[in-house]
Amino acid sequence: MFRIGIYPGSFDPPTYGHLDILKRASKLFDKVVIAVVSNPNKHSLFSIDERVRLLKESCSEEVLKNVEIDSFKGLLVDYVKKKDGCAIIRGLRAVSDFEYEFQMAHMNKNLCKDIETIFISSDNRFTFISSQTIKEVIRLGGDITGLVPEIVKKELKIKLEEV
Ligand code: PNS
C-alpha cells in the first residue's frame, strides 16, 4: 500500500525544526505532502505563495524526491482525504506543545476516524525554535543563523524592512 502523510502547518516562516521533521517523516511514508494552511483570519508575515516557495527552495533535492509542497483552505481532514493521505504528521518540541496537539488530534479523529495523527519529537537541536520566536529575534536585531535556511533569513530581513 502506498502511504501518504500530510504535514500541515503555518510555516510562517519555515525553520530548520520543520525541515528536520519533514526529512524524518519522508523516510516513514512513501510520500509526504507539506500542507501550508491558508487562514484568512490569521495575519501572517509571508503570503501563501511565498511560504510555498520558501519551503521548495529550502528542501534538498534528496528530500524533494518524495515530498510535495502544497497549500490548503478549510478543514484539514477534508484536505487529507482529498490527497488520499492516511496520517497527519505533527512535530512535538516540548510538553507545552502537547495540550494543543492532543486537542487537535482528537478533534481530527472525531471528524474522521480513519485518519491518524503521528507525532515526531523534535531533534534536541531544534526544540527551542518556533516561527514566532524567529520573527521576534530578527525584528529586534538578533542573529538567527543556523536556525532557519539562509534563504529564509535573507527574505525575513527584506520583509521586515518593508513593514
Ligand atoms: O503550524 P500551526 O499554526 O500550529 O498549524 C496549525 C494547523 C494548520 C495544523 C491547524 O490550524 C489546522 O489544521 N487548520 C485547519 C483548520 C482545521 O481543520 N481545524 C480543525 C482542527 S482542530
Side-chain angles (χ1 to χ4, degrees):
M1 191 181 163
F2 193 83
R3 294 193 181 275
I4 300 173
I6 309 291
Y7 181 26
S10 304
F11 304 102
D12 185 41
T15 68
Y16 276 140
H18 294 130
L19 297 183
D20 172 60
I21 300 290
L22 174 67
K23 196 170 160 189
R24 288 155 60 201
S26 71
K27 291 179 186 152
L28 298 174
F29 291 89
D30 298 298
K31 179 177 168 182
V32 172
V33 180
I34 303 188
V36 182
V37 69
S38 166
N39 182 352
N41 299 324
K42 197 170 159 185
H43 173 77
S44 41
L45 185 63
F46 288 101
S47 70
I48 281 286
D49 290 348
E50 286 171 329
R51 282 178 273 161
V52 167
R53 180 178 50 75
L54 283 174
L55 279 160
K56 281 188 183 152
E57 290 180 13
S58 301
C59 287
S60 66
E61 290 296 317
E62 183 59 30
V63 168
L64 284 174
K65 274 185 190 154
N66 70 334
V67 170
E68 178 188 331
I69 301 164
D70 193 17
S71 61
F72 77 104
K73 279 194 186 106
L75 275 182
L76 174 60
V77 288
D78 290 341
Y79 178 78
V80 176
K81 283 188 242 173
K82 191 180 102 183
K83 297 299 272 187
D84 274 333
C86 62
I88 294 164
I89 300 153
R90 294 286 290 171
L92 268 186
R93 287 165 301 194
V95 180
S96 50
D97 282 342
F98 187 73
E99 207 169 323
Y100 169 61
E101 294 298 335
F102 190 71
Q103 205 177 22
M104 262 201 315
H106 280 282
M107 179 57 84
N108 287 328
K109 193 74 184 168
N110 186 65
L111 292 168
C112 181
K113 68 174 176 40
D114 297 328
I115 300 171
E116 298 297 336
T117 298
I118 308 284
F119 295 110
I120 298 183
S121 64
S122 287
D123 186 285
N124 271 340
R125 289 169 299 161
F126 306 123
T127 47
F128 65 96
I129 308 176
S130 73
S131 298
Q132 209 51 46
T133 52
I134 289 291
K135 283 183 280 195
E136 184 168 332
V137 168
I138 197 157
R139 213 173 256 136
L140 298 172
D143 186 13
I144 54 163
T145 306
L147 307 182
V148 297
E150 278 302 305
I151 180 77
V152 172
K153 181 176 149 185
K154 188 174 141 212
E155 296 209 14
L156 266 169
K157 282 188 178 158
I158 295 169
K159 190 60 92 176
L160 292 171
E161 277 162 17
E162 285 170 9
V163 291

